[in-house]
Amino acid sequence: MADAASTPGASGSGTRSGSKQSTNPADNYYLARRRTLQVVVSSLLTEAGFESAEKASVETLTEMLQSYISEIGRSAKSYCEHTARTQPTLSDIVVTLVEMGFNVDTLPAYAKRSQRMVITAPPVTNQPVTPKALTAGQNRPHPPHIPSHFPEFPDPHTYIKTPTYREPVSDYQVLREKAASQRRDVERALTRFMAKTGETQSLFKDDVSTFPLIAARPFTIPYLTALLPSELEMQQMEETDSSEQDEQPDTENLALHMSTDESGAEKENTSVLQQNPSLAGTRNGEDTIIDNPYLRPVKKPKIRRKKSLS
Amino acid sequence: AAPSGPGPASQKGEQGFQSPRPYKLAYQLVRIHSISFHRRSAAGFVELTILPTVADLSRIKLNSQQCGIHGAAFTYSDPTLEVCSSEAKHRALGHFSHAYATALHAVDSDAGNGELCIKVPPELRKCVNAFPVLKIHIDFSLDRPQGGLHFVVPGGEGSLAERAAHVFSCGYQNSTRSWFPCVDSYSELCTWKLEFTVDAAMVAVSNGDLVDTVYTQGKRKKTFHYELSIPTAASNISLAIGPFEVLVDPYMPEVTHFCLPQLLPLLKHTTSYLHKIFEFYEEILTCRYPYSCFKTVFIDEAYVEVAAYASMSIFSTNLLHGATIIDETPLTRRCLAQSLAQQFFGCFLSRMSWCDEWVLKGISSYIYGLWLKKTFGVNEYHHWIKEELDEIVAYELKSGGVLLHPIFGGGNEKDPQVSHLHFSIRHPHMLSWEYYTMFQCKAHLVMRLIEQRISTKCMLQVCNKLLNLATAASSQKFQSNMWSQMLLSTSGFLKSISDVSGKDIQPLMKQWVDQSGVVKFYGRFAFNTKRNVLELELKQDCTSLETQKYLGPLKVTVQELDGSFNHTLQIKEDSLKHNIPCHSKSRRNKKKKIPLMNGEEVDMDLSAMDPDSPLLWIRIDPDMLLLRKVEFEQADFMWQYQLCYECNVVAQQEAILALEKFPTPASRLALTTILEQEQCFYRIANSMVSTWTGPPAMKSQFTRMFCCKTCPNMVKTNNFMNFQAYFLQKTMPVAMALLRDAHNLCPKEVLTFILGLIKYNDNRKNKFSDNYYRAEMIDALANCVTPAISVNNEVRTLENLNSDVRLIVEEITRFLNLEKLLPSYRHTITVSCLRAVRVLQKNGHVPSDPSLFKAYAEYGHFVDVRVAALEAVVDYTKVDRSYQELQWLLNMIQNDPVPYVRHKILNMLTKHPPFTKNMESPLCNEALLDQLWKLMNSGTSHDWRLRCGAMDLYFTLFGLNRPSCLPLPEFRLVLNLKEEKAVLNPTIIPAPATGNREGTSNPSSHAPLAGFQNPLPSSQEEEMEMDMDTVHHSQAFSSQHLSMLERPPTLELSQCYLASARSALLPSCVGGYEGAPTSKAPWGLDLTHKGAAQVQSPPEMHIYPFAVALLCSPLSRKRPPPNNEHHHHHKHKKHKHKHKHKQKHKHDSREKDREPFSFSSPALGRSVCSPSLSD
């Protein structure tokens, strides 16, 4: 009983869907139980000495009683599950009542009070059959390594994955359109952001915000940005043509050679010399046949020679 | 001017070069031992080893500018520093130009002069006989040089090397003197040793072989030792120091490339093509590259894009490009090829004198042309020739003739053909930049004419011969006097031609080299059905400025039904009509293929043509064998046939231009057909679309070619593998945007279409960068803009922005902003955006405001961007007449760190002046005049190109004569009331000899010598005169008087005459009224005294009385009688020369090169070569 009362939500959907037809067996079941509760409330009221009661107050009391019982059920269920059982025992109920601040000891006395009214048992109505939600195929049997006392597999539809896609847009025009507007949006958002956060110029003196131009800022070395491809372009290049890739690793190679060759050729110069002998060294490392004066190592000064020169 | 007398008897006689100096240079050592980037200074010394050729060598003149020289026993005077004294009140350009020419001559190394004069100590002079070799050691230092060496020191963090600080030599013509003392002439060769001590992280690149790199003590620096064993002129010496990345050419180990840090990948790609150019030149010239090594250096803030020096070329770093850039590739390759051609002709072979410059420029451009033909195809070559031809013709017709060989013609500065110029063509340092460009262009075209005359094979043989002679000479020891073989002169070149080919090219030389001007033809034709003869009428226009009459053969190609026929007409004095017999009968429905010029046979739809005539089209001078402009009339269908079936690009281009006049459906059909032909040369297509006149048929055309099949309003994703299509795709929208509807507005659909193109532009799958394409799209947008309809000149605000324009503005804003985040190659998009913004401003959509451009014009932006922004500011200055902006520009001209930008501003201001000499403008005031004058007079003394630019600008703004905004000195003219004449104040009449020069020397001038009686010619003059004459007369009267006068036909000349007379008067005037500054008066007197004759270095007079005496004595002896008599004299000479030529006289070339006023050698006592003996 507690069980059924505690899950009005679960059956609620069923109730609601069948609310138009009051002859629904499940509804009858609940109505009958509620009627019983009303009788209980009424008898208790009579017992307490009320001559009559308004319907609304009876209803409220019924509701309170139902809630109370439901809470006992729910709580008892929790306690029983907490101790890894599925069936509540008396002790569960007791603990629940204690928890709810009910003095259990008074209960037997109360039950045996003299003026209590005995209500006839409610008419036995059939437990409503929960309609099979959706039988999508056979439930899977347990695999051998799972003990049989374990709950059964749920319905297959709850776990079987059948991936579905929206039909991919294959219309070229739409795609292009989309790509274009997407890019445009990104660009606009980005530039607007940059314009908002930095200095701007404007074509119109009276309105600085409609067409903000990011302020021109001079570079220290202007040709670098102008000549070197931007990172985006580099990336694109790599995507489109893998043969173009040799540009970048080259500088790394250079650096590599730099360290190795330098140590080999002239150890004492490493601190002073940064660029040129190293470059020369690189080339020598790659191709020893090439003899170019710019690749030759720098000579050490000769004292005499210096004097004669200056 | 190269005065050359007959050589000493010891010489072999042939084309011997006679040095104007009393000594010969054998060897020079240049050592720069310290260079400071922080202070932008350098210090070092030079050691010249010279051999005196006279017994008592007392003075040695060297060239040196802006070098601080330490030591004794020398005097320094550089009259070019301040051409006219600052107090001088006269501001006439004519006067300045004359004074400048004089000053230049006074330091002209070709004339044996120089700024630096070293006195040989008497005790040494005595021993000269015993020790025939002198060594001169000069310590010098440079501090913040204004020219010659250019320091680039970017700010920022890090060491100098990390900041890519570098320095390089630069200059216009021979300007080596501005970074070390030398004999700065192309004709004084010697061997070199060059040593540069630089920071250890830097590389010094210079001429010749790098023999050693040695550390200094402490290893903080290293010294680069270069040796150049091939005799080279000082003007071909160069230097570049910087933290360069070194790349040895993978194909040719002796070639090394240098670039600034981080650009190595670009350098690799850019130079990967160079070896092919080498191969090509060596093959056609059958001669090895003369130097043992070659270096290319790519530097920032380049003075010119390409500068060739001995065994090394300096390029602008902006020529570097990666593999993804299409448009820059051919341009850069051209630059490489040009510089390499100049290595052979220009660096290795050097010019003997300035008047031989054209031979070197001509040959180097010619072999470059051959490379172009081989690399880019015949069509590209023809197109280039045609382009150059059009340019030179346009320039000569507009600005005056270009004379290739200045001395030949008049032999005198007062050559009639150049009197209208504001500069003297005798001095390379005085030439307007534009003139010099045209000069090179013409030199090339004339060289091509010579080639056509003597055949390509002979031409190459000539080149080969010249090179071989020079190579042989270069390996000789100094004493053998063979080095002069490495100097190329006009006569030497002509001699080689006649030796190799045996052909006489004198008429050709006479027509194109010795005189300036082009030929202009007007052609018409009629077909005579009865006689089956084509009657061709050819008129020559000889009346307008700078045209000349052409007599001789002229080729005409007639395409008939039966084929193409060449006819050679003889143009004679009075022959107007030429009858050309036709080969084919006119038969209409003859179904036969029509043979074309190139042997192909094609089917044509002949329905359009005239049934009576078999003529398809006619072309005059199809091979461009004359420097000419042809205006030919033929029917539209003939042009259409020419366009569709003629295989020559030039012909097609002509046809397209002509078809502009015939906007008929048939023309459009012809254009469409040709567009669709795959093999059609892309340039044709380019020029074609730009002349398109029809309704937006082009749109459908574009759609068909570049848009998707399924969705025609969308452009395909970019794929620029087919360059031809790429160029077409780029150009078509731009041309399309020029379409206008009946209301003169751009059709809405075109704008939408272009916006669509921009929107759907997708470059993700493309191998190439699309920055040029996007830039062109912005240009197309700008082309769409039409003037705004403005009511009552309301202020432009955002609210009243036209919705279409709003879209355009939005796109431009987006592009410009995006460029900040993802910059494009060479910032092409920013450049286009700036232009577009200016267009919007000009058309009144956006408030006109230069501040945006000014921000982009600041130093620190990429040079292309700066130039584009400056262009907009210049345009703003012109349109809005803003004094403030003009001042801003002038300030930039004076102070900008980049010489190229300064030059460019001047250039642009000259092209788009805020006002001109004939215009009243509020900008034209005395302060501005003073400012410009100062700029020209002394502000730009170390950059010749800049000074010439300033002169050009001054000329455009104020003209040759006295600027009208100056208050006039009083009592200059007197109006004689009774005779109604204006006369110069008689009290100052005796002075005007200088002024006479231009007026009287012009034989075509009708200005009477009694020009003082000439009525005042122009209104401008009138006003001036009236102002001062109010002293004597009522203004009313004089104006009435003036209005009665008719303008004389020789308006310009007389004006010029008057003005120059005035300027000549000024010295004495000034003297009279301001108490005669002591040094000025003799100067002026001196000028007037010498009058028409060439004036020799007067400024030196005050300093070296002795030298002047020397200079003057031969002058007075040899000075020819002025003016008319002088011409006579010269003719006489020529006659003699001819005579000698027949006798195969050995002194042939010397004779030709000699000037009537050669003075130096005899003056210094070389009796051997005195003219009387040789004659």
Side-chain angles (χ1 to χ4, degrees), chain B residues 96-112:
Chain B
F96 175 84
S97 160
H98 173 70
Y100 185 37
T102 316
L104 276 177
H105 184 80
V107 297
D108 187 4
S109 53
D110 276 341

Side-chain angles (χ1 to χ4, degrees), chain B residues 462-523:
Chain B
V462 169
C463 296
N464 173 260
K465 190 184 166 193
L466 292 171
L467 282 175
N468 279 341
L469 278 176
T471 316
S474 71
S475 54
Q476 299 282 322
K477 283 273 183 305
F478 168 70
Q479 271 77 8
S480 69
N481 279 326
M482 283 290 284
W483 284 358
S484 62
Q485 292 284 1
M486 298 177 72
L487 299 177
L488 189 54
S489 68
T490 311
S491 52
F493 174 65
L494 292 182
K495 186 160 182 314
S496 292
I497 286 187
S498 71
D499 282 358
V500 170
S501 71
K503 282 184 182 152
D504 178 29
I505 59 161
Q506 269 310 323
L508 205 151
M509 295 289 292
K510 214 171 160 189
Q511 178 100 35
W512 304 120
V513 178
D514 297 350
Q515 56 178 329
S516 63
V518 292
V519 185
K520 220 168 154 183
F521 283 115
Y522 291 112

Side-chain angles (χ1 to χ4, degrees), chain A residues 243-287:
Chain A
S243 69
E244 301 285 325
Q245 282 179 344
D246 59 348
E247 288 185 357
Q248 276 210 307
D250 205 77
T251 43
E252 287 158 30
N253 270 348
L254 247 159
L256 246 169
H257 278 288
M258 200 151 91
S259 51
T260 55
D261 266 295
E262 201 149 13
S263 57
E266 273 190 289
K267 274 178 188 163
E268 62 269 64
N269 294 332
T270 32
S271 57
V272 190
L273 273 182
Q274 289 293 320
Q275 212 133 6
N276 303 306
S278 61
L279 275 166
T282 322
R283 283 294 160 179
N284 275 338
E286 277 172 18
D287 194 348

Side-chain angles (χ1 to χ4, degrees), chain A residues 53-113:
Chain A
E54 273 177 36
K55 191 164 191 313
S57 51
V58 174
E59 279 296 324
T60 310
L61 288 170
T62 313
E63 199 67 29
M64 285 168 68
L65 182 64
Q66 187 174 0
S67 306
Y68 194 80
I69 296 171
S70 301
E71 180 52 31
I72 293 172
R74 194 197 61 76
S75 209
K77 181 169 181 272
S78 299
Y79 281 114
C80 104
E81 280 174 355
H82 184 67
T83 46
R85 282 174 281 110
T86 53
Q87 290 288 324
T89 58
L90 183 64
S91 57
D92 288 333
I93 306 295
V94 173
V95 173
T96 302
L97 288 174
V98 169
E99 179 70 13
M100 288 172 75
F102 185 80
N103 193 356
V104 187
D105 297 338
T106 58
L107 196 59
Y110 181 70
K112 288 172 189 152
R113 71 188 186 278

Side-chain angles (χ1 to χ4, degrees), chain A residues 176-177 183-184 187 201 206-207 210 212 214 219 226 237 241 250 269 272-273 276 292 294 299 301 303, chain B residues 212-213 215 217 219 226 253 256 268 295 324 715 759-761 767 797-798 811 814 817 826 855 860:
Chain A
R176 283 291 299 280
E177 170 81 51
R183 202 190 48 203
R184 173 165 299 232
E187 283 172 5
Q201 290 162 316
D206 53 337
D207 187 344
T210 319
I214 302 175
F219 308 93
M237 284 311 111
D241 196 345
D250 205 77
N269 294 332
V272 190
L273 273 182
N276 303 306
N292 186 296
Y294 293 94
K299 288 182 185 164
I303 313 293
Chain B
D212 252 343
T213 321
Y215 281 115
Q217 231 117 34
K219 288 178 183 165
Y226 283 92
T256 324
K268 258 187 197 167
K295 285 143 286 183
T324 58
V715 69
K759 185 172 174 196
Y760 296 121
N761 175 42
K767 205 176 157 218
T797 54
L798 199 57
E811 285 301 325
R814 197 174 55 85
N817 283 339
R826 292 192 77 157

